[in-house]
Amino acid sequence: MIALVSPGQVVAETARLRLHAMSDRDDADVALMLELLNDPAFIRHIADRGVRTLEQARDYLRNGALRSYAEHGFGMYAIERTDTGALIGNCGLVRREGLDGPDLGYALLPGHAGHGFAHEAAQAVIADASDRLGITCLRAIVNPDNAPSIGLLQKLGFEFDKMIVLPHVAHPLDLFHLHLSTEAAA
């Protein structure tokens, strides 16, 4: 049986970060999503979700992360710096149409990339996937021109699988995979 997460629950902690399940009732989580979804890098490398207001961001959380927590026991989590309490991005797992398993996703607000935060958060999510969820293989998709994200996936141990086209995505993506074991989660 999958251990479900509830909004606000801390899912993982690292030396510098705390990852918590987001809530549509937490104004800071809603503001984080609005800012992330409108970041030009997010729009370029992930997608323009058309979310422009706090209420739209609240609905986006309800229909995305919150639904995923209830259905799958995982989703995207807010990344919080433990030293400042600032929310700096999100990282987690997504069940995506067209993929045969959960995939790792992450996005950081401008100014927080290049400091190892995405790597640290992703390692915590991978450990949770193996330890709590018992997942044995993760996927990751990335735009072929997103060299920093590809580099991060490779640093995490992901291997290129193939180019794919997913439903509702207009262009081909690189598909990566990572086989999990007790050593991978350590």
Side-chain angles (χ1 to χ4, degrees), residues 88-172:
I88 64 168
N90 68 3
C91 185
L93 302 177
V94 178
R95 280 293 296 164
R96 203 175 304 273
E97 185 180 356
L99 292 181
D100 61 355
D103 74 284
L104 177 71
Y106 45 84
L108 293 177
L109 293 173
H112 298 283
H115 302 286
F117 294 128
H119 184 263
E120 195 171 322
Q123 284 182 313
V125 168
I126 292 167
D128 181 61
S130 177
D131 298 344
R132 180 176 64 86
L133 299 168
I135 294 171
T136 59
C137 186
L138 287 178
R139 311 285 188 259
I141 55 171
V142 62
N143 280 331
D145 67 345
N146 189 346
S149 192
I150 291 169
L152 174 58
L153 290 174
Q154 291 171 333
K155 187 175 179 182
L156 289 164
F158 280 81
E159 296 177 4
F160 177 78
D161 201 1
K162 62 185 175 183
M163 296 286 295
I164 61 165
V165 176
L166 292 178
H168 315 293
V169 179
H171 58 279

Side-chain angles (χ1 to χ4, degrees), residues 9-152:
Q9 178 182 338
V10 173
V11 177
E13 291 190 62
T14 71
R16 302 182 298 164
L17 305 172
R18 181 176 301 113
L19 280 70
H20 71 260
M22 292 185 279
S23 171
D24 62 332
R25 295 184 177 156
D26 184 325
D27 291 341
D29 288 347
V30 175
L32 168 68
M33 285 312 304
L34 182 61
E35 190 174 354
L36 271 176
L37 293 169
N38 286 284
D39 174 44
F42 186 99
I43 291 170
R44 177 173 176 242
H45 292 297
I46 300 172
D48 184 350
R49 304 288 190 214
V51 174
R52 302 295 184 257
T53 68
L54 286 171
E55 195 52 41
Q56 288 174 331
R58 201 175 305 282
D59 287 341
Y60 184 85
L61 280 174
R62 285 182 193 124
N63 295 319
L66 294 173
R67 178 174 287 158
S68 184
Y69 302 154
E71 291 177 5
H72 307 295
F74 58 75
M76 295 299 289
Y77 309 117
I79 304 171
E80 176 186 349
R81 288 183 57 163
T82 55
D83 61 347
T84 65
L87 297 179
I88 64 168
N90 68 3
C91 185
L93 302 177
V94 178
R95 280 293 296 164
R96 203 175 304 273
E97 185 180 356
L99 292 181
D100 61 355
D103 74 284
L104 177 71
Y106 45 84
L108 293 177
L109 293 173
H112 298 283
H115 302 286
F117 294 128
H119 184 263
E120 195 171 322
Q123 284 182 313
V125 168
I126 292 167
D128 181 61
S130 177
D131 298 344
R132 180 176 64 86
L133 299 168
I135 294 171
T136 59
C137 186
L138 287 178
R139 311 285 188 259
I141 55 171
V142 62
N143 280 331
D145 67 345
N146 189 346
S149 192
I150 291 169
L152 174 58

